[in-house]
Amino acid sequence: GRAHSIYLANVPGPEQPRYFGSARVRRVYAVTATTDAQEVTVSITSYAGRVTLGAVATAPLAGWARAVATELELLEAETR
């Protein structure tokens, strides 16, 4: 196949709730940007026991997203 340029960022977050003033932060989302030099950028972050995965690409990610979902389902089935 052809070479791919992928950037992967894992940013673990706190397990305890955080607040903006008196408002509790409910969710945190993994968001990054990409460039032509980085064809795919994947971000993984966690907050209060929840993990999110974000991806940005210079081309459509539909097939990649389906493959990730399938692999996560298989991993979940193995942990039961």
Side-chain angles (χ1 to χ4, degrees), residues 1-49:
R2 79 182 165 91
H4 289 22
S5 177
I6 298 174
Y7 178 76
L8 179 65
N10 179 20
V11 183
E15 288 298 314
Q16 301 79 21
R18 295 291 189 246
Y19 295 84
F20 282 122
S22 61
R24 181 178 174 187
V25 175
R26 298 285 178 202
R27 293 185 178 167
V28 175
Y29 295 95
V31 179
T32 58
T34 192
T35 67
D36 288 342
Q38 299 168 332
E39 294 172 5
V40 179
T41 301
V42 179
S43 301
I44 304 166
T45 192
S46 62
Y47 172 66

Side-chain angles (χ1 to χ4, degrees), residues 37-76:
Q38 299 168 332
E39 294 172 5
V40 179
T41 301
V42 179
S43 301
I44 304 166
T45 192
S46 62
Y47 172 66
R50 178 187 166 123
V51 175
T52 62
L53 176 80
V56 178
T58 57
L61 286 172
W64 181 84
R66 280 190 301 275
V68 168
T70 298
E71 292 300 320
L72 288 172
E73 288 170 3
L74 292 170
L75 181 60
E76 183 181 31

